[in-house]
Amino acid sequence: MTVPKLIDGKRIASELCDRVAGDADTFRQQYGLQPTLAVVLVGADPASEIYVRQKVIQCRKAGIRSTQHRLSELTPEAALFKLIGALNGDPTVHGILVQLPLPVHIDAARVLDAIDPAKDVDGFHPVNVGRLSTGTAALVPCTPLGCMLLLDTVIDPLRGKHAVVIGKSNIVGKPVALLLLERECTVTVTHIATQGLPGIARNADIVIAAAGAPRLVRGDWIKPGAVVIDVGITRVPGIGGKASIVGDCAADEMEHAAAVTPVPGGVGPMTIACLLANTLKAARNLHHG
Ligand code: NAD
């Protein structure tokens, strides 16, 4: 049995963070201020708390200043808009991240639209989505960007490869499909209603699994030599009641693949590293004019 190469997202993310730290230091010397990310958290969703804590820690390590803005679960929408308006107008803030999900009484789409596109480090603003779809410079969503950086470590060139994306969400599936298209891959986007998904996946040189469905992608879906990027993160009860995290691929069946990302330790660390890279990019763009 052959063993696929494990794409070490932790190491690749750590190298990216080191590069960001060096560039953040240069930025600080040039402009006399640190690249700054404002993180907005509404309510006390436990998973969001963990994500925000991780982002703050990683920012500190990479020389990015972060400010936290915590609002109660019952905050009126207007108060959140006021905060975003203030952050948009603050020249010492370069990136704004509103942690999702938001409480149900708040319209998340309207909130994301209110962020200055130049500070939209998540890349979710319609202006950045539009720029991504026309292939012009944009702040690109972090997880899809991380997937592309991982692919670049194992496939050269990407051009001409057939990529099958499983999942069509606005935060992963669609933007990663656009990035693959931009690199002249042939892209098939699939989703919950796709018929004959295993057969479609079997034609792929690259499988990007972003469905949130554990063990959806089985070993016999994978063409020999394909590269598999597993974006899925699902918490499942583990031995002794301790939850463990699993991806969308049956990791023990991936022996035909040339390379796979582990879960955890694959795409996850890249997402935060790309958030730091986007904050630095936004800071540079804002200061270079
Ligand atoms: P989502 O629920 O918004 O979208 C899931 C997509 O997968 C949908 O388009 C749906 O049609 C498709 N899908 C679901 N079940 C399917 C099935 N059985 N067959 C084919 N398609 C199916 O989810 P999302 O926000 O895009 O996230 C997807 C997964 O990626 C989740 O597990 C999420 O936790 C994970 N995620 C990881 C990171 C990271 O940093 N690693 C970041 C974002 C999301």
Side-chain angles (χ1 to χ4, degrees), residues 161-230:
K161 298 287 188 292
H162 180 205
V164 169
V165 178
I166 305 176
K168 61 163 183 68
S169 74
N170 290 335
I171 66 166
V172 189
K174 283 183 204 160
V176 83
L178 287 169
L179 289 170
L180 289 159
L181 255 188
E182 205 43 43
R183 298 285 296 274
E184 298 192 318
C185 289
T186 301
V187 184
T188 305
V189 184
T190 67
H191 46 78
I192 189 78
T194 298
Q195 307 282 311
L197 181 52
I200 295 171
R202 240 172 254 135
N203 282 320
D205 303 306
I206 297 165
V207 174
I208 310 260
R215 292 185 78 80
L216 172 68
V217 180
R218 307 304 300 253
D220 63 357
W221 293 29
I222 301 302
K223 181 168 88 172
V227 172
V228 180
I229 304 288
D230 191 347

Side-chain angles (χ1 to χ4, degrees), residues 104-126:
V104 285
H105 68 280
I106 296 178
D107 181 341
R110 265 174 27 100
V111 169
L112 298 180
D113 286 7
I115 296 171
D116 178 348
K119 298 188 178 187
D120 167 39
V121 283
D122 261 337
F124 296 157
H125 191 283

